[in-house]
Amino acid sequence: MKTFRNLTLGVALLAAGISPARAEDRPATDLADTNLMGLSFDQLLDINVEKTSTASRYQQTLAQAPASVSIVTHDEIKKLGHRTLAEILSGVRGLYVAYDRNYTYLGVRGFNRPGDYNSRVLVLVDGQRVNDGVYDAAPLGTDFPVDVDMIDRVEVVRGPSSAVYGNNAFFGVVNVITRRGAQVEGGEASFSGGSWETWRGRFSLGKKFKNEVELLVSGSILWSEGQSDLYYPEFNTPSNNVHNGKASHLDIDHAHNYLATLNYHDWTLEGIFSSREKTVPTGAYGTDFNDARFKTTDERALLDLKYHHVFNENTEVNAKTYYDHYDFIGDYPTAGVVTRDHGQAEAWGGEYNFARHLGKHTLSAGVELREYFKQDQTTVKVMPFNPIFDHPQNEFVVGGYAQANVQLLKQLTLDAGGRFDYFERFGSAANPRLALIYQPVETTTLKALYGTAFRAPNAYELYYVGTGYDTSARDLKPEEITTYEGIVEQQITKWLRFSASGFYYEVDRLLAQVVNPGNGLLTIQNLDNAIGYGAEFELEARHHSG
């Protein structure tokens, strides 16, 4: 059994003022002119724009949320100069990122296994998952499909969330909420340049018309030649003496993405397209060192139609349907011959959920279905052409959840819920979530949390066969996590807040890439359990001067 320990201390001195959130989320009170000590706790949370729509799929204050939640606003992103989602997340308590000159990887509470393409965190854009359908990979770096300038806010929900979101919500959920046309209201353009011939450009148009139609279109491009020379001492060997361990002009990164949204009353139509090509200088996977043909290309396209309506101010309904496309190409030169991996996923799906507010209680429920009508993987030798592996696949997934937020006493709230998922490939999974939330005084919140989550083996883990891989059948089961957490949140003054949390989690049937001792080949297996525990502390200051 492996044990992980983690201690995180975050001190964030963040910009104050009201977040440029949607108009309906903005409080009318100016923070600079307000005596917060004379307000109720809920009013304190409202003024600090501390509301989340991600934790329970309906809007609630952070004090009411059955999780530890952090929010990074558009204003903070600009003032801190973040250029990728990975940079935004690296400033969030309990999260850290790593970069291997190809992709960016997210660690959560001390856990980040090599070979995991962020499949244990569910990443959403406006509530729509962007983890792909072959590798479950969540894009975080320059492969993220939305320019950071078009982000209104990022909501990070820590802890298992499969009780609401199902697969991949293992260690948490990251929901990136984009800006709307009225927030741009006209044209915007940006251009930046930096070292290593790095250039970025963006142009956006947004407008809310008198007939209530709201339109936003935005396009961005990145062109970077990357660091010209990278030295790797392990390649400074007699067999590589022509290169002296240097990879020259092989850190190239080219990307472009486009976002368009059309809003009319309760309806929203959103389209996203992105493509990114990265040359890899590291000689990974036994490839020929200093070979410019080592490249990866990721392409994403998403189109969704959403409906949101509030009935009588106490019932809100959400429905949507969507189409999702992902395409990956990886070229790996070995002994002068390029091997090409190609993964492609296409899916359609739909969701429906509602929340009913009954005084101080809230009941919510929802159903979701997703059909991958394409989950294809192929491997070929490019020149001369020689097919190695070809595995078409499809899958159907359906899930439903229900939860209740009940005020037991004036200062004590119980949040309880669960979700049931059925996968055509391996069967069913059930996951509960419980939270007791206690507010002894208006400025103090105590939370005791319990939850479980799962991650199903993806198409890559189940079926991929490449050079050096074991071709025998893999009888894989979903990995599961159980988490216990205690949280203290304290508003000290009108500009200073403290939070602390302690957590303990157990992971069962951990999925990992290992070497089969019988034949020396790589394979995927369910390993032994893993345990992690730790504490996190954060002191956050928001001053009205910015």
Side-chain angles (χ1 to χ4, degrees):
M1 179 178 290
K2 296 184 179 179
T3 302
F4 299 88
R5 292 181 295 272
N6 183 39
L7 177 65
T8 303
L9 175 63
V11 179
L13 299 177
L14 302 178
I18 301 306
S19 162
R22 303 195 189 335
E24 61 266 29
D25 294 341
R26 294 182 191 139
T29 308
D30 187 346
L31 180 63
D33 300 326
T34 301
N35 179 6
L36 273 70
M37 301 309 291
L39 299 180
S40 70
F41 187 67
D42 284 342
Q43 288 172 319
L44 278 169
L45 293 174
D46 285 342
I47 286 179
N48 286 300
V49 198
E50 294 179 339
K51 288 186 175 181
T52 174
S53 59
T54 305
S56 298
R57 290 200 173 191
Y58 61 84
Q59 192 176 82
Q60 57 191 163
T61 63
L62 297 194
Q64 297 167 335
S68 173
V69 182
S70 292
I71 297 177
V72 185
T73 67
H74 175 75
D75 187 54
E76 293 163 11
I77 293 169
K78 286 199 304 181
K79 289 178 177 176
L80 294 173
H82 296 315
R83 299 311 310 155
T84 65
L85 177 60
E87 291 182 6
I88 296 172
L89 297 179
S90 68
V92 174
R93 169 170 49 92
L95 307 185
Y96 59 96
V97 297
Y99 177 57
D100 66 354
R101 298 281 174 178
N102 191 10
Y103 294 107
T104 303
Y105 307 93
L106 183 65
V108 183
R109 291 180 163 175
F111 192 102
N112 186 11
R113 288 191 65 85
D116 173 31
Y117 296 101
N118 306 315
S119 62
R120 295 179 178 91
V121 175
L122 179 62
V123 176
L124 312 171
V125 173
D126 294 324
Q128 176 60 43
R129 70 164 49 226
V130 293
N131 295 63
D132 70 72
V134 176
Y135 312 96
D136 277 341
L140 301 176
T142 55
D143 54 334
F144 186 70
V146 176
D147 190 294
V148 293
D149 288 342
M150 303 312 299
I151 295 176
D152 176 46
R153 64 186 183 272
V154 178
E155 299 185 2
V156 179
V157 180
R158 299 173 187 82
S161 299
S162 287
V164 178
Y165 288 98
N167 194 27
N168 300 117
F170 201 76
F171 283 111
V173 176
V174 176
N175 190 12
V176 176
I177 299 170
T178 62
R179 299 166 68 192
R180 291 177 57 164
Q183 293 172 276
V184 177
E185 198 58 31
E188 286 185 358
S190 65
F191 178 82
S192 64
S195 302
W196 306 312
E197 299 184 44
T198 299
W199 311 99
R200 296 175 183 267
R202 175 183 63 88
F203 182 72
S204 307
L205 287 172
K207 179 71 176 177
K208 185 172 184 178
F209 300 94
K210 294 182 179 179
N211 61 0
E212 299 300 317
V213 172
E214 195 171 359
L215 176 67
L216 171 70
V217 293
S218 180
S220 306
I221 188 169
L222 164 70
W223 186 281
S224 176
E225 294 301 305
Q227 195 163 335
S228 56
D229 290 307
L230 292 164
Y231 176 67
Y232 297 95
E234 59 268 40
F235 290 109
N236 190 7
T237 62
S239 60
N240 280 296
N241 58 9
V242 66
H243 307 301
N244 297 316
K246 286 186 178 180
S248 301
H249 305 288
L250 295 181
D251 196 27
I252 302 168
D253 195 347
H254 297 162
H256 55 95
N257 54 61
Y258 307 93
L259 168 69
T261 58
L262 179 66
N263 303 88
Y264 181 69
H265 294 300
D266 296 330
W267 295 90
T268 300
L269 179 64
E270 182 173 56
I272 296 172
F273 177 83
S274 70
S275 180
R276 181 248 199 178
E277 181 183 270
K278 181 67 175 68
T279 305
V280 186
T282 59
Y285 312 118
T287 56
D288 297 336
F289 182 65
N290 204 31
D291 193 322
R293 295 176 296 174
F294 185 3
K295 296 180 180 180
T296 59
T297 303
D298 294 86
E299 180 181 282
R300 284 179 166 88
L302 176 66
L303 180 67
D304 64 22
L305 177 65
K306 304 184 184 78
Y307 174 79
H308 171 79
H309 187 74
V310 178
F311 297 90
N312 302 322
E313 298 184 353
N314 57 19
T315 302
E316 53 183 295
V317 172
N318 293 279
K320 73 175 177 181
T321 184
Y322 62 88
Y323 165 79
D324 187 8
H325 164 84
Y326 173 72
D327 198 294
F328 166 80
I329 295 176
D331 287 341
Y332 307 95
T334 306
V337 178
V338 175
T339 300
R340 172 169 294 176
D341 283 349
H342 187 196
Q344 189 174 45
E346 291 189 78
W348 76 275
E351 296 181 21
Y352 172 83
N353 63 73
F354 76 93
R356 174 78 170 175
H357 306 285
L358 305 170
K360 295 184 180 295
H361 314 303
T362 300
L363 303 177
S364 61
V367 294
E368 176 184 358
L369 63 89
R370 182 168 65 256
E371 182 180 15
Y372 291 105
F373 53 89
K374 180 180 287 188
Q375 285 181 314
D376 297 353
Q377 298 180 79
T378 61
T379 301
V380 301
K381 298 288 187 182
V382 175
M383 291 184 66
F385 178 79
N386 180 25
I388 298 173
F389 168 66
D390 187 358
H391 194 285
Q393 186 68 25
N394 53 69
E395 184 181 29
F396 178 79
V397 180
V398 62
Y401 74 92
Q403 58 182 346
N405 187 283
V406 180
Q407 186 170 12
L408 302 177
L409 301 171
K410 183 179 179 180
Q411 298 167 318
L412 183 65
T413 300
L414 171 67
D415 193 292
R419 174 169 168 142
F420 179 85
D421 288 273
Y422 175 77
F423 284 68
E424 182 181 22
R425 183 174 294 154
F426 72 85
S428 60
N431 292 273
R433 181 172 70 176
L434 294 172
L436 274 175
I437 303 169
Y438 179 56
Q439 292 178 240
V441 294
E442 292 178 340
T443 55
T444 303
T445 301
L446 307 176
K447 299 180 183 181
L449 311 177
Y450 163 83
T452 70
F454 75 102
R455 184 180 77 87
N458 54 53
Y460 170 75
E461 292 168 325
L462 282 167
Y463 306 116
Y464 177 77
V465 175
T467 303
Y469 273 76
D470 193 337
T471 59
S472 60
R474 300 165 193 162
D475 182 22
L476 303 181
K477 305 296 183 184
E479 57 185 18
E480 300 174 347
I481 187 172
T482 301
T483 299
Y484 306 86
E485 184 173 0
I487 300 171
V488 179
E489 297 174 345
Q490 178 67 51
Q491 191 78 36
I492 301 173
T493 70
K494 67 180 182 179
W495 59 273
L496 189 63
R497 187 179 113 166
F498 171 78
S499 63
S501 63
F503 58 86
Y504 174 89
Y505 60 77
E506 297 179 353
V507 181
D508 296 325
R509 298 195 301 264
L510 182 66
L511 286 163
Q513 186 181 88
V514 297
V515 176
N516 187 334
N519 53 27
L521 299 177
L522 292 172
T523 187
I524 308 292
Q525 292 182 359
N526 290 106
L527 300 182
D528 292 335
N529 302 346
I531 291 176
Y533 53 89
E536 300 170 350
F537 306 92
E538 183 173 72
L539 188 65
E540 181 181 69
R542 294 172 179 263
H543 197 268
H544 67 82
S545 68

